[in-house]
Amino acid sequence: MRQIVLDTETTGMDIKLGNRVIEIGCVEIVNRRLTGNNFHVYINPERDSEEGALEVHGLTTEFLSDKPLFEDIAQEFVNYINGAELIIHNAGFDVPFLNNELQKLEGNQSVIKDICSVVDTLSIARQKHPGQKNTLDALCKRYNVDNSGRELHGALLDAELLADVFLLMTGGQRDLSWESADTNQNSYGSSQEAATKITRGERGLKVLKANMDELKAHEDMLEKLRKSNPDLELHW
């Protein structure tokens, strides 16, 4: 099973006001394992971001000015997600924006549903945790996923966090060890040179044994406890 956890950033909330996609981040999962074959791209929307959106993602017009247009990366993006199951948090927001971009392409008649299926993790979370907050930050806290680096929203970072949350929320399986790394990740913009493919694998926990000084200190502490409370049973 091939699943793609996807997130986007946009210039604003309303497509009707001409807002566009400016970042796409995707994380690949095959048979419930993160493969490291991720996709990440910044996009020049040829317009400014709304003030509220800029405060959320911090992607300025200047930063995006030399990035590719959506039409330049569209085919690679479609090839990447083709036939997969998209995992999106609040798909009702991201999918219409992606459809809007696809429909702007000359001669294109396809939308996301023609390319792949979609699963909305917000709907899953609401079913599992009714009456509770189910934002990505709330779910990270609930499932003990470290989101301390999420000062600003970023499509790839949010997709990585959602991938961990999704695996835990739908079966409790998440492989956290890092097996190998190479530079085969699809990436554009400022992160292109630093893009790294990470494969998470299995690795045992390292066992650290106490040295003689630590053993003596431990024994001394037990002896103090015995003297202060003779009736207390202490075991090595």
Side-chain angles (χ1 to χ4, degrees):
M1 178 184 292
R2 183 171 184 262
Q3 298 167 306
I4 302 296
V5 183
L6 179 146
D7 187 61
T8 66
E9 297 299 333
T10 65
T11 60
M13 298 291 289
D14 194 341
I15 296 175
K16 294 178 181 179
L17 296 179
N19 285 301
R20 305 285 302 275
V21 174
I22 57 175
E23 185 184 8
I24 300 173
C26 299
V27 172
E28 183 183 61
I29 299 174
V30 176
N31 296 328
R32 296 189 62 79
R33 286 184 177 273
L34 299 165
T35 69
N37 178 31
N38 301 339
F39 180 92
H40 181 222
V41 60
Y42 294 110
I43 299 165
N44 180 0
E46 299 184 294
R47 59 155 290 165
D48 295 337
S49 288
E50 296 177 354
E51 185 176 347
L54 186 59
E55 291 176 356
V56 170
H57 56 62
L59 300 176
T60 64
T61 301
E62 181 182 4
F63 172 78
L64 297 170
S65 63
D66 63 348
K67 303 304 182 283
L69 304 178
F70 183 83
E71 63 189 51
D72 298 326
I73 60 89
Q75 191 59 58
E76 183 173 4
F77 171 62
V78 169
N79 290 344
Y80 178 81
I81 66 172
N82 187 35
E85 180 180 72
L86 287 190
I87 310 297
I88 305 176
H89 199 68
N90 192 11
F93 177 82
D94 299 81
V95 171
F97 267 96
L98 291 171
N99 286 340
N100 181 58
E101 297 294 342
L102 290 170
Q103 289 168 345
K104 288 180 181 293
L105 300 175
E106 185 176 354
N108 178 66
Q109 301 296 323
S110 298
V111 290
I112 290 297
K113 69 177 182 179
D114 301 323
I115 303 167
C116 48
S117 59
V118 177
V119 171
D120 191 341
T121 52
L122 180 56
S123 296
I124 296 174
R126 284 172 173 170
Q127 291 175 7
K128 291 180 67 69
H129 311 290
Q132 300 183 51
K133 288 185 65 175
N134 288 301
T135 62
L136 181 56
D137 282 334
L139 291 172
C140 285
K141 183 177 181 180
R142 190 170 300 144
Y143 288 97
N144 295 318
V145 173
D146 182 10
N147 66 340
S148 57
R150 195 185 186 228
E151 295 181 5
L152 292 173
H153 288 214
L156 183 59
L157 172 61
D158 288 0
E160 290 172 337
L161 292 173
L162 181 58
D164 283 343
V165 167
F166 170 73
L167 291 174
L168 289 167
M169 187 167 58
T170 60
Q173 299 180 23
R174 180 179 61 162
D175 197 337
L176 290 176
S177 59
W178 302 76
E179 189 175 67
S180 63
D182 58 39
T183 55
N184 192 38
Q185 177 175 332
N186 301 308
S187 183
Y188 290 84
S190 62
S191 62
Q192 183 173 12
E193 294 180 359
T196 304
K197 177 181 175 183
I198 304 296
T199 302
R200 297 181 180 185
E202 297 180 354
R203 184 167 57 185
L205 295 175
K206 185 176 181 180
V207 178
L208 298 178
K209 295 184 178 181
N211 58 37
M212 294 303 296
D213 290 338
E214 291 168 334
L215 290 173
K216 185 177 185 306
H218 180 67
E219 183 59 42
D220 290 343
M221 178 58 68
L222 289 178
E223 184 62 28
K224 289 180 181 179
L225 290 172
R226 291 189 187 98
K227 289 180 178 179
S228 64
N229 192 345
D231 297 327
L232 182 65
E233 292 187 12
L234 297 173
H235 302 280
W236 179 254

